[in-house]
Amino acid sequence: MKTLYLDCGMGAAGDMLAAALLELLPDPAAFVETLRGLGLPGVGFTLEKSVKCGVTGSHLAVTVAGQEEGEEHPHSHDHHGHRHEHRNLHDIRHLVEDHLQLPEAVRGDILAVYDRIAQAESRVHGVPVENIHFHEVGTLDAVADITAVCLLIHTLAPEEILASPVRVGSGQVRCAHGLLPVPAPATALLLRGAPIYAGDLAGELCTPTGAALLTHFVTKFGPMPVMQVEKIGYGMGKKDFPAANCVRAMLGRREEEGDTVCQLECNLDDITPEALSFAQERLWEAGALDVYTVPIGMKKSRPGVLLACLCREEDAGKLAEAILRHTTTLGVRRMSLARTLRPRSFRTVQTPWGPVTVKETPGGGKPEYEEAAAIARREGLTLREVQEAAMEEWRAVRIKP
């Protein structure tokens, strides 16, 4: 499986991620020319060599109207007196959809990243999403960083993207709203569910842009898996620290792997259908990977049902307790099973009602149920209408360049 692993031991920002991914390409200079031709008004791109703690990498410098803006680099929100135009989600959508020459899949990723940021800012500031005005992340250089990362991911086309726990830093950061704690409130919301830590360096190591890109693309955070690394890229930040201020990207392959799951089961002949349904719901809530029933014949020719549950080994204890609590069984059988996993990846497509994630496998794709169902409820549509629109767009972006 083609795997991209991102080492975020010094946090992440859009320009650092972009520079690290650029170093994985056979011809980074040619890709920078592609970025220059995208149609971002007045935006220039320059790939510069940078050395941090003796390690040589790259820095992607973005200029607007010939001047390098006060980028949202990690560790600094100093805008150097440059004027920034604040944009809302409608402005970003208009810019991406009507002005940038991009594959549809990349447009969908860019808008999905901005939707994540808007949702987080909405929660932080207590205003509707459509009223959110982006400050640092709405400037043209930030749009450029996000666009570059999304296009690079599309070009590299990894089957899976993994990342280390994210170092976020500590202290305070100055932004458009004043002094805020690190991680900034929007960054903290964006990184919910991901493993993060402060470390021993003061400053903002992970920006909202970096957090949104990571949580959009990364399918799993954790230690680097066993993989054959073919290419390594270093994307450098602007500031100097005792540790090399960079994101490291490693591209390679790892063997298709399986894992071990636990199967829990019991036979039931004295439970009502309502109680059985309730028990299954509790098992899903407790973290089951799968729950199913099978009609069986029991002793004395009594009809019954086999209740089975697949789960991770570490969850087996609590799920067995849930079965004992919510059913009439006197015991739960437990066994370990090896399974082989099919390769899967995720692609965001843009439907007329909003972005939907499609899970891709070698045999095709399938829209994520919860996202499609949420749109259907909100827009008064059928689930099938939303799923078909998502699949139509997915098939279109798969065949477009």
Side-chain angles (χ1 to χ4, degrees):
M1 179 183 292
K2 188 177 181 181
T3 299
L4 173 65
Y5 186 79
L6 302 172
D7 182 353
C8 303
M10 283 296 287
D15 62 329
M16 294 169 71
L17 288 165
L21 296 174
L22 271 167
E23 289 209 334
L24 302 178
L25 297 177
D27 190 353
F31 192 89
V32 172
E33 287 300 320
T34 299
L35 293 176
R36 291 170 180 160
L38 288 180
L40 277 167
V43 174
F45 295 87
T46 304
L47 190 63
E48 306 168 341
K49 283 300 176 186
S50 177
V51 179
K52 302 290 182 183
C53 297
V55 178
T56 300
S58 296
H59 169 67
L60 183 63
V62 178
T63 57
V64 180
Q67 297 185 44
E68 189 166 1
E69 294 268 297
E71 309 90 346
E72 197 201 12
H73 294 301
H75 333 305
S76 176
H77 278 268
D78 178 12
H79 297 284
H80 306 298
H82 294 317
R83 183 182 66 86
H84 291 282
E85 180 182 352
H86 299 163
R87 293 175 173 84
N88 59 28
L89 198 56
H90 173 77
D91 298 328
I92 297 295
R93 184 173 289 111
H94 173 69
L95 176 63
V96 172
E97 293 180 342
D98 298 338
H99 293 281
L100 302 188
Q101 303 300 312
L102 292 167
E104 286 301 316
V106 178
R107 295 182 200 269
D109 282 328
I110 296 168
L111 294 176
V113 169
Y114 267 105
D115 186 66
R116 283 177 179 267
I117 298 171
Q119 295 290 343
E121 295 282 3
S122 175
R123 288 282 304 276
V124 169
H125 300 299
V127 299
V129 169
E130 58 270 19
N131 293 342
I132 286 296
H133 285 267
F134 299 111
H135 297 280
E136 289 84 0
V137 294
T139 56
L140 280 175
D141 55 324
V143 176
D145 289 339
I146 291 173
T147 300
V149 171
C150 292
L151 186 57
L152 282 160
I153 293 291
H154 180 77
T155 302
L156 292 166
E159 295 175 78
E160 65 174 358
I161 302 175
L162 311 175
S164 70
V166 182
R167 193 179 197 178
V168 295
S170 61
Q172 294 180 316
V173 61
R174 181 177 297 280
C175 70
H177 296 285
L179 282 176
L180 296 176
V182 172
T187 303
L189 275 175
L190 287 162
L191 290 173
R192 281 183 306 176
I196 64 174
Y197 64 103
D200 56 356
L201 296 175
E204 183 186 37
L205 303 185
C206 185
T207 66
T209 298
L213 287 164
L214 288 175
T215 52
H216 174 68
F217 284 111
V218 173
T219 55
K220 185 179 180 180
F221 291 87
M224 182 179 175
V226 176
M227 59 184 287
Q228 293 179 324
V229 177
E230 298 167 0
K231 297 178 181 178
I232 302 175
Y234 291 88
M236 302 304 192
K238 293 288 285 184
K239 284 197 171 183
D240 293 321
F241 288 90
N245 182 19
C246 67
V247 168
R248 180 166 61 175
M250 288 173 276
L251 186 66
R253 305 197 71 85
R254 68 183 183 98
E255 295 298 322
E256 295 297 326
E257 65 177 41
D259 61 3
T260 300
V261 294
C262 188
Q263 178 169 305
L264 307 174
E265 62 180 40
C266 64
N267 296 351
L268 302 164
D269 65 357
D270 57 350
I271 188 171
T272 67
E274 294 86 356
L276 181 59
S277 175
F278 185 82
Q280 290 177 270
E281 292 174 2
R282 302 291 79 74
L283 293 175
W284 284 115
E285 290 174 356
L289 300 174
D290 198 5
V291 181
Y292 60 94
T293 60
V294 180
I296 57 174
M298 298 178 62
K299 62 184 179 180
K300 300 181 181 180
S301 300
R302 291 197 297 257
V305 62
L306 181 146
L307 173 63
C309 167
L310 294 180
C311 64
R312 298 177 182 85
E313 293 279 356
E314 60 266 27
D315 295 331
K318 68 176 181 180
L319 284 161
E321 287 296 325
I323 293 174
L324 291 170
R325 181 182 180 191
H326 295 292
T327 73
T328 55
T329 188
L330 299 177
V332 178
R333 298 185 295 275
R334 174 175 174 173
M335 62 201 81
S336 293
L337 302 174
R339 64 174 182 172
T340 300
L341 301 176
R342 194 176 194 181
R344 69 197 73 183
S345 59
F346 298 87
R347 185 193 299 265
T348 300
V349 299
Q350 196 70 24
T351 73
W353 315 285
V356 174
T357 301
V358 176
K359 182 187 294 182
E360 300 178 319
T361 66
K366 182 179 179 182
E368 289 291 281
Y369 167 77
E370 293 294 346
E371 295 180 17
I375 289 176
R377 294 187 192 101
R378 186 183 72 233
E379 302 293 336
L381 302 167
T382 66
L383 178 64
R384 183 176 179 179
E385 286 176 311
V386 180
Q387 291 175 327
E388 287 181 348
M391 289 306 297
E392 181 179 352
E393 184 63 24
W394 178 77
R395 285 187 286 269
V397 299
R398 294 259 295 179
I399 62 176
K400 287 184 180 180

